[in-house]
Amino acid sequence: MAQIIDGKKISTQIKDECRERTAALAAQGITVTLAVIQVGSDPASSVYVRNKKRACEYCGIRSLSYELPETVSEEELLNLIRELNSRADVNGILVQLPLPKHISEDRVTEAIDPGKDVDGFHPMSVGALSIGKPGFVSCTPQGVIELLKRSGISIRRKECVVVGRSNIVGKPMAMLLLRENGTVTVTHSATVNLKEVTRRADILVVAIGKPGFITGDDLKEGAVVIDVGINRGADGKLCGDVDFESARKVASWITPVPGGVGPMTIAMLMSNCVKSVEMKR
Ligand code: NDP
C-alpha cells in the first residue's frame, strides 16, 4: 500500500519558512508586498484570492487588493499593472485568471514586470526555465518538485511521465523534472496507447482535469503518483485525475486530493513573493 505524500504538512513547513524569511527581511526594514488583482466577482476566483490573502497574512507578506469591475477595459487593467510595475514598494503582482473575454490574458501576463512575475507565467519566466536560467517558475509544478524532494524521493535517473501539456502545469512540470535529471516523457490527448507510456513511469504526474482517469491498472508497480487534478466527482466531492483507491494499491507513494498538490500552489506563491525581494538583493 502506498505511503501518502502529505501536501498539507509540507505546505505548512514552506509557509513557516517564508515567515522566517520575511521576519529576517523585516529586521532589515524590508516589507514583502504582493499586489493581487481580481477582475469581476467569479465565486471560484474570490475563494482563490481570499486564500492567497490569508496565506500572505500567515507568512508576514503585505497584500494589496485591487478588485476591478467585470466591465473594466483592458487598457485600464494594463495601466494599473504599469503603475504597480513602477512602484518600488510592490514586489509581486498577481492577476487572478480567468479574465473576462474582452481582455487578452496574454497581453496582461506580458505586461507584468518579469521581476515581479510571482506566478511565473510571463514568457521571459517560461524562457528562463527552459534554458536553465534563474527566474520565477509556475507555482503548481514547483510545488510538485518540493513534494518529491521533501518526501526523500529522488528524481535523478528516473523515468518520469507527465500526463497533460498545459502552459501552467504540464510543460513547466516537464522542464523541472528534466532540470532534476529525470528522463521525461510528456503525453497529451493525441498520445497513442497512453497506458503503455504511463506503465513505464517511476514518477507519474497527472494534470488533465478528468476525474479518476488514471487507475491502478495504468501504473508500474511501486510508481510515485502525483495527482494535480482538482475535479468535482459525481458525488459532488473534490477528487483528482487519479482513481486513488486502485492506484494506492500499486504505487509506492501517492498524493491525495484534496490535501496533496493543492495546498502547495499557494505555498510556492508565497515563496516566490519572498524570492522576488531576495533575488533583487
Ligand atoms: P488544461 O485543460 O489546460 O490541460 C489539460 C491537458 O490534459 C491538456 O494538455 C490535454 O491535452 C490533456 N488531456 C486531456 N485529456 C487527455 C487524455 N484523455 N489523455 C491524455 N491527456 C489528456 O488543464 P490544466 O493543466 O490547467 O489543469 C489540469 C488539472 O489540474 C485540472 O483538474 C485543474 O483543476 C488542476 N489544477 C490544479 C492546480 C493545483 O493547484 N493543484 C493548479 C492548476 C490546475 P491536449 O493538450 O492534447 O488538449
Side-chain angles (χ1 to χ4, degrees):
M1 199 67 101
Q3 297 192 64
I4 307 290
I5 300 179
D6 187 345
K8 233 172 154 181
K9 189 169 129 202
I10 296 174
S11 67
T12 304
Q13 279 168 7
I14 291 170
K15 285 191 284 184
D16 286 342
E17 289 163 15
C18 286
R19 196 140 77 160
E20 285 168 23
R21 288 156 72 194
T22 58
L25 289 166
Q28 300 165 57
I30 299 161
T31 306
V32 181
T33 301
L34 171 68
V36 181
I37 305 174
Q38 183 182 358
V39 179
S41 51
D42 170 60
S45 291
S46 298
V47 172
Y48 288 131
V49 165
R50 201 174 327 125
N51 289 343
K52 286 169 187 174
K53 286 188 205 155
R54 206 173 287 155
C56 282
E57 215 170 289
Y58 183 89
C59 296
I61 296 170
R62 181 173 70 130
S63 66
L64 304 177
S65 188
Y66 296 87
E67 286 161 24
L68 308 180
E70 184 89 21
T71 51
V72 73
S73 71
E74 184 178 291
E75 199 47 36
E76 283 171 291
L77 175 57
L78 292 175
N79 281 338
L80 172 60
I81 293 170
R82 287 179 198 121
E83 181 204 319
L84 295 169
N85 282 344
S86 67
R87 272 178 59 172
D89 67 321
V90 172
N91 312 106
I93 302 171
L94 181 150
V95 181
Q96 185 63 45
L97 301 178
L99 291 169
K101 286 204 166 51
H102 66 279
I103 300 177
S104 155
E105 288 189 357
D106 283 350
R107 271 196 289 274
V108 167
T109 303
E110 286 164 29
I112 296 172
D113 175 347
K116 300 186 180 187
D117 175 36
V118 286
D119 255 340
F121 296 164
H122 192 286
M124 290 254 296
S125 307
V126 177
L129 172 64
S130 68
I131 59 170
K133 299 276 187 222
F136 291 108
V137 178
S138 178
C139 299
T140 303
Q142 200 186 336
V144 171
I145 297 291
E146 284 298 320
L147 283 179
L148 293 170
K149 286 189 171 172
R150 289 175 189 243
S151 304
I153 298 162
S154 161
I155 302 166
R156 188 180 162 77
R157 300 173 71 90
K158 296 283 166 60
E159 197 72 54
C160 304
V161 174
V162 181
V163 188
R165 58 171 164 183
S166 70
N167 288 337
I168 63 165
V169 187
K171 283 182 196 149
M173 189 72 252
M175 286 296 171
L176 287 172
L177 291 165
L178 195 57
R179 188 162 88 179
E180 298 295 332
N181 295 310
T183 300
V184 184
T185 306
V186 184
T187 63
H188 42 79
S189 65
T191 297
V192 177
N193 216 340
L194 182 66
K195 191 193 284 279
E196 211 170 79
V197 185
T198 57
R199 275 183 168 173
R200 287 206 304 264
D202 299 314
I203 299 174
L204 181 70
V205 182
V206 190
I208 57 173
K210 297 210 158 115
F213 183 81
I214 295 288
T215 70
D217 192 45
D218 300 313
L219 305 176
K220 174 178 171 175
E221 188 73 39
V224 175
V225 179
I226 306 290
D227 188 354
V228 180
I230 302 179
N231 313 293
R232 288 256 169 227
D235 56 2
K237 287 191 187 151
L238 279 189
C239 66
D241 291 342
V242 175
D243 174 47
F244 186 77
E245 286 311 320
S246 63
R248 72 188 303 199
K249 296 192 179 103
V250 186
S252 58
W253 291 88
I254 190 166
T255 58
V257 178
V261 177
M264 293 300 289
T265 301
I266 290 190
M268 298 324 295
L269 173 70
M270 296 300 108
S271 179
N272 275 354
C273 290
V274 187
K275 184 174 152 186
S276 67
V277 177
E278 293 168 344
M279 265 189 343
K280 280 217 176 73
R281 307 182 81 234

